[in-house]
Amino acid sequence: MRTSPVWNPEQYGKYADERGRPFADLVDRVFADQPATVVDLGCGPGNLTATLLDRWPSATVRGVDSSAEMIEAAQPLTSDRLTFEVGDLREWTAPPGSVDVIVTNATLQWIPEQLDLLPGFVRALRPGGWLAIQIPGNGDAPSHAILRELAATPPYAEFAAGKSLRADVPGPAEYVDALSAEGCSVDAWETTYNHLLSGDNAVLEWVKGTGARPVLQALPDDLRATFEKEYGARLAEAYPQRSYGTLLPFRRIFAVAHLLAR
């Protein structure tokens, strides 16, 4: 098992409604008819995975995540139809033709070689199966640009340079090309959500649960506090708090692939 920075389910759970909207929009485009087996790769704390039980009442659902902390948080949701396990997406396999639906939501952006994984995911699908992908496409937004710039400057660079997410991720057209080559019919698109966040320095609280996590955890305790203060001040300037909240534009990329009958 590969090691990675520790996830904090409580911090990640802040703004859960906003984080859940893209998942719902993604699953809404999966037109599977009574699937028997559904897998959520990168399931996190399992709250969104659990919604798949109502989406497909006859299915058994399995959540997989590389974070032991996330899987521990998900375990209270376990039932006879819903299970969770620790596993790395880069090493995940299933018997060919054994899965009806694979969902991977806000996960593949962490894997530079993600397009290389898609053929294996498709092979796991039964004929007529579905693969649904959503990733953030906001790597060039101020929240991430400031993070990369600050992490690359002294005294932080010694520990944190290169720890933040890259700006470049596949776009819809790249998913169409890659998945069409695997015998799939592909629906790919992008959406920019304008999230209205509550609370002080809300964008800092948002990114502490996701994109800023590897940088913050790479820093020693004394530097982490200084970094967070400086990063937070710059975020507050880039995303000013108004009387009605803080606006966070957030681009996301979607691809839904339907495996044609072999």
Short mmCIF file of all heavy atoms in Angstrom, two decimals, residues 5 30 52 104 121 154 163 213 219 223 243:
data_model
loop_
_atom_site.label_atom_id
_atom_site.label_comp_id
_atom_site.label_asym_id
_atom_site.label_seq_id
_atom_site.Cartn_x
_atom_site.Cartn_y
_atom_site.Cartn_z
N PRO A 5 -0.48 11.57 2.60
CA PRO A 5 -0.88 12.39 3.75
C PRO A 5 -2.21 11.92 4.32
O PRO A 5 -3.06 11.37 3.63
CB PRO A 5 -1.00 13.79 3.14
CG PRO A 5 -0.07 13.76 1.96
CD PRO A 5 -0.19 12.37 1.42
N VAL A 30 -25.87 8.35 -15.18
CA VAL A 30 -25.61 6.91 -15.32
C VAL A 30 -26.95 6.20 -15.43
O VAL A 30 -27.70 6.12 -14.46
CB VAL A 30 -24.81 6.37 -14.12
CG1 VAL A 30 -24.58 4.86 -14.27
CG2 VAL A 30 -23.47 7.10 -14.01
N LEU A 52 -26.04 5.67 -3.17
CA LEU A 52 -26.19 4.76 -4.30
C LEU A 52 -27.14 3.60 -3.97
O LEU A 52 -27.68 2.96 -4.88
CB LEU A 52 -24.82 4.22 -4.72
CG LEU A 52 -23.80 5.29 -5.15
CD1 LEU A 52 -22.46 4.64 -5.47
CD2 LEU A 52 -24.32 6.10 -6.32
N THR A 104 -16.12 6.98 -9.75
CA THR A 104 -14.94 7.54 -9.07
C THR A 104 -15.07 9.05 -9.09
O THR A 104 -15.04 9.69 -10.14
CB THR A 104 -13.62 7.05 -9.69
OG1 THR A 104 -12.52 7.67 -9.01
CG2 THR A 104 -13.54 7.31 -11.18
N PHE A 121 -10.28 -0.23 -15.60
CA PHE A 121 -11.63 -0.01 -15.09
C PHE A 121 -12.66 -0.55 -16.08
O PHE A 121 -13.64 -1.20 -15.69
CB PHE A 121 -11.88 1.48 -14.84
CG PHE A 121 -11.03 2.09 -13.76
CD1 PHE A 121 -10.93 3.47 -13.65
CD2 PHE A 121 -10.34 1.31 -12.85
CE1 PHE A 121 -10.16 4.07 -12.66
CE2 PHE A 121 -9.56 1.88 -11.84
CZ PHE A 121 -9.47 3.26 -11.77
N PRO A 154 10.98 30.06 0.18
CA PRO A 154 11.55 29.80 1.50
C PRO A 154 10.69 30.44 2.58
O PRO A 154 10.07 31.49 2.33
CB PRO A 154 12.93 30.47 1.42
CG PRO A 154 13.19 30.64 -0.05
CD PRO A 154 11.86 30.83 -0.69
N LYS A 163 4.26 19.55 -3.52
CA LYS A 163 3.27 18.75 -2.82
C LYS A 163 1.83 19.08 -3.24
O LYS A 163 0.93 18.29 -2.97
CB LYS A 163 3.38 18.96 -1.30
CG LYS A 163 4.70 18.50 -0.70
CD LYS A 163 4.84 17.00 -0.75
CE LYS A 163 6.10 16.54 -0.03
NZ LYS A 163 6.25 15.06 -0.07
N ARG A 213 -4.14 20.01 1.85
CA ARG A 213 -3.80 19.00 2.84
C ARG A 213 -2.37 18.46 2.69
O ARG A 213 -1.61 18.42 3.68
CB ARG A 213 -4.83 17.87 2.75
CG ARG A 213 -4.60 16.66 3.61
CD ARG A 213 -5.64 15.60 3.27
NE ARG A 213 -5.58 15.27 1.85
CZ ARG A 213 -4.88 14.26 1.36
NH1 ARG A 213 -4.18 13.49 2.17
NH2 ARG A 213 -4.86 14.03 0.07
N LEU A 219 4.70 20.23 6.21
CA LEU A 219 5.43 21.26 6.94
C LEU A 219 5.60 20.88 8.42
O LEU A 219 4.70 20.31 9.03
CB LEU A 219 4.69 22.59 6.84
CG LEU A 219 4.62 23.22 5.45
CD1 LEU A 219 3.62 24.38 5.45
CD2 LEU A 219 6.00 23.69 5.00
N LEU A 223 6.33 25.85 11.14
CA LEU A 223 6.13 26.46 9.84
C LEU A 223 4.69 26.34 9.36
O LEU A 223 4.20 27.21 8.64
CB LEU A 223 7.06 25.83 8.81
CG LEU A 223 8.53 26.22 8.88
CD1 LEU A 223 9.31 25.55 7.76
CD2 LEU A 223 8.69 27.74 8.78
N SER A 243 -21.34 40.19 2.74
CA SER A 243 -22.40 40.06 3.74
C SER A 243 -23.20 38.77 3.55
O SER A 243 -23.76 38.23 4.50
CB SER A 243 -23.34 41.27 3.67
OG SER A 243 -23.92 41.37 2.38
#
